[in-house]
Amino acid sequence: KTAIREAATLPQYHDYLRHRFQWAPGTPSKVDWEVHSTLLYPYDDQRPTIVKHIHGIAPTGKYTRRYNPHSSPQCPCCPCSDETNDHVIQCPGQSRALWRQQTIQKIRTHLENPPGDPTLASILLQGIQQSFTDSNGVVPTTGVPDEYHQLIHDQNEIGWTQLFRGRWALEWRRHSLPIASPSQAKCTPEHPAKWATRCGRILLAQWCELWKLR
């Protein structure tokens, strides 16, 4: 029954996502939904907040204004007159700027312990930086080895802000196996989705911390 119910509702849900995020028709098929589900599982006790967040409708000023005409749509941390969900991570306010620094540092520390694919790490860090400045920003493929181009294209299409909503491209799987260091005789293989899952946990946890700051 669950499989039948999912088969009936998934196309409708993907249609909603295409409309909500202005995705191309094939974009949902490029998302790693296994990673997405794994990332959301620990937040069952915060389900209302997380569900709104992953759909870009967390109750920021823009949305609270729709239901309460006396509520201000302005950002509480800066003069922005229309606080959107993406603005929460892009706000120039001091507390948000510090949060962005901490987020980059946590991801960087994770990527270095143990060190893995430096190209993959560079792409991820560039993408996160893009999400902090431009909701529609893209990571260029210039100077990046050809084998990573599909990954960049797919995540550009999905959106780099979507990493904070648990939506990672399937292509991350092809490149995320760890690289053995000189001191290691061999490198123990891991499930190809684990790399994105671990990074995704950091980003989702960071968003939750930011929401508390707000």
Side-chain angles (χ1 to χ4, degrees), residues 39-171:
L39 291 174
L40 299 186
Y41 181 78
Y43 292 93
D44 197 54
D45 59 336
Q46 303 175 49
R47 188 172 183 81
T49 299
I50 293 298
V51 167
K52 290 176 182 178
H53 162 57
I54 65 173
H55 295 107
I57 53 174
T60 56
K62 176 180 179 178
Y63 290 99
T64 56
R65 176 73 169 187
R66 292 182 180 181
Y67 304 106
N68 180 4
H70 301 293
S71 177
S72 172
Q74 184 173 325
C75 174
C77 292
C78 80
C80 177
S81 61
D82 192 27
E83 186 197 22
T84 65
N85 274 232
D86 286 350
H87 176 79
V88 172
I89 67 171
Q90 297 167 354
C91 173
Q94 184 176 1
S95 62
R96 311 293 176 85
L98 178 59
W99 173 85
R100 287 190 289 272
Q101 293 174 13
Q102 292 171 341
T103 299
I104 290 294
Q105 185 56 50
K106 286 186 178 183
I107 285 291
R108 195 186 301 276
T109 299
H110 172 72
L111 294 173
E112 293 173 352
N113 296 286
D117 184 336
T119 302
L120 197 68
S122 176
I123 292 169
L124 177 58
L125 289 168
Q126 285 185 67
I128 295 172
Q129 292 282 14
Q130 280 285 358
S131 73
F132 290 160
T133 58
D134 183 357
S135 301
N136 299 312
V138 298
V139 170
T141 57
T142 306
V144 179
D146 291 350
E147 60 265 32
Y148 296 91
H149 286 193
Q150 191 61 55
L151 163 62
I152 293 173
H153 287 314
D154 287 358
Q155 195 65 56
N156 280 343
E157 186 175 322
I158 295 166
W160 292 94
T161 57
Q162 294 291 341
L163 295 181
F164 286 92
R165 298 181 178 119
R167 298 192 181 100
W168 294 68
L170 278 163
E171 279 290 309

Side-chain angles (χ1 to χ4, degrees), residues 173-193:
R173 287 176 179 248
R174 291 206 306 117
H175 303 282
S176 58
L177 294 180
I179 296 176
S181 67
S183 62
Q184 293 175 309
K186 63 179 180 177
C187 186
T188 304
E190 65 175 353
H191 190 285

